[in-house]
Amino acid sequence: MTAQISAIPPSNAEYGGDEISALVLDPGYSTTRAGFAGEDVPKSVISSYYGILPSESRQKHLFGDNSIHNPLPGLSIRNPMGLDGTVEDWDTATNLWEYTITSRLTNPKPKNPALNGLNDDSKVQDLDAEMEDVEDRERPLEENPLLMTETGWNTGKSREKGIEIAMETWGAPAYWLARNGVLAAFAAGKPSALVIDVGASNVSVTPVHDGLILKKGVIHSPLAGNYISDQLRLLFSASQPPIPLNPHYTISSKIPVDAGAPSQATYRSFLPGTAPHDSFRRLQEERVLTEFKESVVQVWPGPGRLLGHTPNGVLNEEIAKHQPGRPFEMPDGWNQMFGAERFRAAEAMFDVKAALGDQPPPASQTIPQIIQSSLAQVDVDIKPHLLSNIVVTGGTSLIQGFTDRLNNEINALYSGGPRVRISAPGNLYERKFASWIGGSILASLGTFHQMWISKKEYEENGAGVVEKRCK
């Protein structure tokens, strides 16, 4: 006999009520966002990357920007999230999420000040870093219900693991798990929408109808922010002469040089055994590439594709060459004005023929194709409604020209069909943190009170309750 799920309205004491706000946790591949429900933006935004310091006794894990960007000897960088946006290393992910919550939102139980290591000169100064002795602390969420986000393709096993951590490790009084596509639609004020989320490791298309995802139509692709970074690396190495990519920590000093001239920098040298791991350099290079993407890279807005031509037969690449360039200075002082090449890095998101390198991605992974594949899986009757309620979210979607190009591509796919309307907030925070904002709105609604999975309900039904309740 299956266990009955209680529908008794929760008491304020059990679920926090108006006196205690729920916490909203939104893990991603690039950053993890956390904050209190009802607020406009997450107060805690922590890098999802973490550092590992080699030690004689055991490895030491470092969390937070102050720690992972410091070039300590042997420091290597890892990520508990897989490239598909789901958790691979649950132990580290739990510690990272707990750090995200306790470092900005709640306070861990104070320890004996004589043991805090502040007076030990030999101890590495990583004040916001370590998550040791977790079992000695009070449970960080004993007073706060937790709403957590997940991808539309998260597995049942991972969903159950999430509620186990919240209830057993953190002691949360109540829990809810929500799809980030649904929450992004809520943040845009739409119960039904086609949500296009362009993040660091994935671009996903999620059809949402009346607050529920249409699971058959959820499709994701790796042609997102990290792919653009890989294209930039190829672009830099193929340039003549090659464009240097030396991160800030490798530069000791520099002097200004003219555009295109070799850099005049003094590079920092590391004694044997004192340099950080190659993965540390890779992360620091990614920070430079992120700055380059934000300030230089553009998506060819259309109409047509970058390698195509106008109705008059003029090549779009020729038009791009006549547009004003954008300057960029590398950390070592090398600088240049970037012209038409700044359109190439992101073009493969829409057209694989423009991909740099020997192995272009499959055409089925481009954004127009995954949109078409997603809509092919939904009922014909709701397709026009979804096309008129497209929500664009994710940090990579902020690249200039992206929404114009997306609009042109979708209109070309469905010309003569329903009107295409795209909602893409101009506000940086609303675009980057849409799923968190949707969770903040949802968890603060009075009518949402009766939806929480209580601690009692979890104890009666086990972790499987999340599959029954959180559709």
Side-chain angles (χ1 to χ4, degrees), residues 14 74 110 234-236 241 246 252 364 386-387 420 423 441 452 465:
E14 187 177 7
L234 291 169
L235 181 69
F236 290 173
N246 296 306
S252 179
S364 59
L386 294 177
L387 282 169
V420 174
S423 169
I441 294 168
W452 290 107
V465 69

Side-chain angles (χ1 to χ4, degrees), residues 82-420:
L83 290 173
D84 64 349
T86 58
V87 179
E88 286 187 347
D89 180 354
W90 278 100
D91 291 340
T92 307
T94 303
N95 288 342
L96 171 67
W97 299 341
E98 185 170 330
Y99 173 78
T100 305
I101 294 167
T102 58
S103 64
R104 302 281 197 279
L105 306 172
T106 65
N107 293 315
K109 179 180 172 183
K111 296 182 186 177
N112 182 346
L115 303 176
N116 64 13
L118 296 180
N119 299 315
D120 184 357
D121 293 335
S122 65
K123 190 176 177 78
V124 179
Q125 293 182 356
D126 52 346
L127 303 185
D128 69 341
E130 202 170 1
M131 291 295 299
E132 291 182 351
D133 305 322
V134 173
E135 66 277 2
D136 294 335
R137 299 181 177 182
E138 65 184 12
R139 292 181 169 186
L141 298 184
E142 281 186 322
E143 295 182 345
N144 303 92
L146 176 67
L147 184 146
M148 200 165 166
T149 72
E150 63 169 347
T151 62
W153 53 93
N154 201 18
T155 63
K157 190 175 179 181
S158 292
R159 303 185 90 207
E160 292 180 6
K161 185 69 177 175
I163 193 171
E164 283 175 14
I165 291 167
M167 293 293 189
E168 296 177 17
T169 306
W170 295 341
Y175 179 82
W176 188 259
L177 186 62
R179 313 277 190 179
N180 45 26
V182 173
L183 297 179
F186 285 170
K190 299 177 185 292
S192 299
L194 187 71
V195 179
I196 302 171
D197 186 350
V198 194
S201 64
N202 271 280
V203 52
S204 64
V205 179
T206 306
V208 179
H209 184 60
D210 288 341
L212 296 171
I213 67 165
L214 304 176
K215 201 159 186 181
K216 285 194 298 184
V218 178
I219 298 179
H220 60 103
S221 156
L223 304 189
N226 292 348
Y227 177 76
I228 297 175
S229 295
D230 292 339
Q231 290 284 286
L232 286 173
R233 290 175 189 273
L234 291 169
L235 181 69
F236 290 173
S237 61
S239 297
Q240 292 299 328
I243 297 172
L245 183 55
N246 296 306
H248 290 277
Y249 82 97
T250 64
I251 313 300
S252 179
S253 63
K254 63 181 179 181
I255 58 175
V257 296
D258 293 333
S263 64
Q264 299 290 322
T266 304
Y267 295 96
R268 184 175 176 181
S269 60
F270 291 92
L271 295 172
T274 65
H277 191 265
D278 289 345
S279 58
F280 177 85
R281 179 179 178 118
R282 177 91 182 181
L283 178 65
Q284 300 310 310
E285 289 176 353
E286 187 61 40
R287 296 180 82 194
V288 178
L289 294 173
T290 297
E291 189 179 339
F292 188 87
K293 285 185 284 187
E294 291 172 348
S295 56
V296 177
V297 172
Q298 282 183 258
V299 176
W300 175 251
R305 297 182 170 176
L306 182 63
L307 301 185
H309 51 77
T310 66
N312 300 328
V314 181
L315 292 174
N316 287 331
E317 275 195 299
E318 288 300 315
I319 298 173
K321 287 176 184 176
H322 291 90
Q323 294 196 10
R326 290 189 170 189
F328 188 80
E329 181 178 319
M330 289 292 182
D332 60 4
W334 182 94
N335 66 94
Q336 180 178 295
M337 189 73 74
F338 288 86
E341 64 269 26
R342 71 181 186 272
F343 292 100
R344 280 302 293 268
E347 182 65 15
M349 297 172 76
F350 298 91
D351 180 12
V352 292
K353 292 176 183 174
L356 302 169
D358 300 329
Q359 295 180 315
S364 59
Q365 292 183 346
T366 61
I367 292 176
Q369 285 301 308
I370 63 173
I371 291 171
Q372 196 169 29
S373 300
S374 174
L375 288 174
Q377 298 295 323
V378 306
D379 194 285
V380 174
D381 295 337
I382 64 172
K383 192 182 294 185
H385 187 59
L386 294 177
L387 282 169
S388 61
N389 289 279
I390 295 172
V391 173
V392 176
T393 180
T396 303
S397 71
L398 287 162
I399 291 177
Q400 185 175 343
F402 181 87
T403 49
D404 291 336
R405 175 62 174 275
L406 185 67
N407 188 49
N408 281 320
E409 291 281 350
I410 297 175
N411 275 302
L413 284 174
Y414 299 99
S415 57
R419 184 175 176 183
V420 174

Side-chain angles (χ1 to χ4, degrees), residues 439-460:
S440 175
I441 294 168
L442 185 64
S444 62
L445 293 175
T447 51
F448 184 70
H449 243 212
Q450 58 192 353
M451 298 297 292
W452 290 107
I453 299 171
S454 69
K455 180 83 170 175
K456 184 179 178 183
E457 196 174 327
Y458 169 76
E459 289 169 351
E460 289 175 355

